[in-house]
Structures are given as structure tokens and as C-alpha cells.
Amino acid sequence: MSGRHARPDPVDDGTLDSLLVLVAESLGYSCHRAPGEVVILEGAKRLPVSMRDLRQLARLVPRDDWPALVSDHVTTIVTAMEEPLDLSDFDLAQHLLRTRIYPAEADNGVLAARPFAPGLIEVVVVDTPTSVRTVSTEEMNGWPVSGDALFMLGRANVRGDGPLQVDEQDLGGVRVSVLHGWTFYAVTHLAWLEEYLSIGPYGALVIAPNRSLIVAHPLRLNEGCPRARYRAAVAAANELQAQAHRAYEEGPGSLSPHLYWWRGGELTYLETRYEGDSLVLPEEFSSVLATLAAEH
């Protein structure tokens, strides 16, 4: 339901916020709000906690279990950053490195991070058997490999973990490819999407709503009429945009509710709008499609 008669979401009544403060203080941390739905824990480390992720997890368990849920969630974050982990020996540490995609708002200024797509960043993390923790720029600068080479190493390790599962599905009459897996690194695979799908010169419409999911629709645009090609792209964009919003709200590990255009390994944010009940694609996108169609 939506609108003024919608029922309030019980996870938004402030209880989770209060529990977070209590658990953080018991671990020696204070809390303050940051832009977006993020709370920063200040103490031995400076740690971001996504309230969106916490609410999504809370919806999955009875309310009586919320104290234990928050305690486990926050303790895991704190322990991951505070536990002794000797990263000075790069020959050993390099095998633990991965790159993981986060919302841009997660960047606290000290992460070994770089832009991945509008609204998203790629972050170097250490993946141990008990936790995943981010790498700081200070730690990165102490290694013999840094910058793009370090990100390439992290990507190579993600790739070495194995491929995602790919399912072909019908989404509101639009054929899409769903890439998914029980991994924090699914969206990193967008960097080599063309190895999963046959993508022509038009590229693909793509969403990455949460950490475990990619949905893609390669743009074939075989219709001879420009208007028919545009309608086909609009139909695909409409279904993907709706799916992006649903999966982003559901989570867990929400990343982006936006629609992207993947082409040649680059992701462009498609800022769609509605005129009445009709979705309208950006003029620049439509112009490029028309140009490509004329060339092919």
C-alpha cells in the first residue's frame, strides 16, 4: 500500500535506532547520523552501519528477536574491524582480497575505494572465514601493490571464486537474464558481464538492486522502425526499473534502485521520468540508440 492511508512500517518506530545506540555504547562506541540511511559508530574505529540493511534484516525475524539481531549485527561489524589481522605480509594477504560494491554513501573518506558507477563505489575488502572487512587507504599504501593494480587483483580473486548462476526469466513480457549467487560480490561481476551474456553494440539495460543480484536485458532492437525500437527499450526499462525498486527495498544489502545502461564495460545512469503513465527515457540515450541503429 502507499499514500496517506498506508500502514506505518513497524521497523521505523525508533526501536532499532535505540537498540543500536545501546549495543554500540556497550562496545565503547558513540553514534551519530550521516548522510543517507547511515549511522557512524565512533570509538576505536570509525564504522558505518546501514540502517536500511538493519531494517531489512529485522523484517525477517519476530520483534522479540530484535535485541539479539542488533547485537549480533553490530558486534560482527565491530569485531571484523577490531580483530587482530596482520596484513603486513602482502604475499599472504593478497589471497584474501576481493572488491565489493557498496553504495557511494558508505565511503567514510578512509576506504580503499574508487567509483564503480553513478551512486556506487568499488571497495577493496579482506575476506576471512569469519568476516569481511574493508581496507583503509593507509593499509593499501603500505603494500607493494596499490591503485588500479590492487583493484584488478581483488577482481581476479572474485572471478576465481567461481561464476554466478544465470537464469533466463520473463519479466512482465520482457526477457531478462538474472545473475545471482550467495555471495557479497555478485555485483562486482558487472565488470565482465559480456562473459555471461551475448551483448551487441547497443549494450544492455542493467539493475543492481542488492549485493546478490544483477538483472540484465541486452538491447537487440531488431525492429526496423525507430518508434518500435524505442517502444521495446521503454518496455524493458519500465519492467527493470520497477524490479530495481522492489529488490532495493527488500534487500538485504541494498545497493541501488536505479536503472543503468551497460555498454563496453561502462555503466551510465539512466534518469527516467514519467509523463502521465508513460515512462520516458533520457533523450541522450534515445539519440545514441538511433545513431547505432543507423550504423548497423
Side-chain angles (χ1 to χ4, degrees), residues 164 179-181 183-190 211-214:
L164 301 176
L179 288 69
H180 59 100
T183 170
F184 290 141
Y185 312 111
V187 178
T188 305
H189 289 245
L190 274 174
R211 66 193 181 203
S212 302
L213 179 66
I214 298 168

Side-chain angles (χ1 to χ4, degrees), residues 29-91:
Y29 284 80
S30 61
C31 301
H32 71 264
R33 287 278 179 181
E37 299 183 75
V38 174
V39 171
I40 299 295
L41 306 189
E42 295 278 4
K45 301 281 185 178
R46 191 170 188 266
L47 310 174
V49 177
S50 168
M51 291 306 298
R52 177 182 291 274
D53 284 353
L54 196 53
R55 286 197 299 271
Q56 290 167 346
L57 293 171
R59 292 189 184 104
L60 303 176
V61 301
R63 190 181 183 91
D64 288 347
D65 291 344
W66 285 5
L69 171 73
V70 175
S71 178
D72 181 66
H73 186 72
V74 176
T75 301
T76 298
I77 292 173
V78 171
T79 301
M81 295 305 297
E82 288 189 349
E83 69 178 359
L85 186 60
D86 184 8
L87 300 177
S88 60
D89 187 341
F90 186 74
D91 288 339

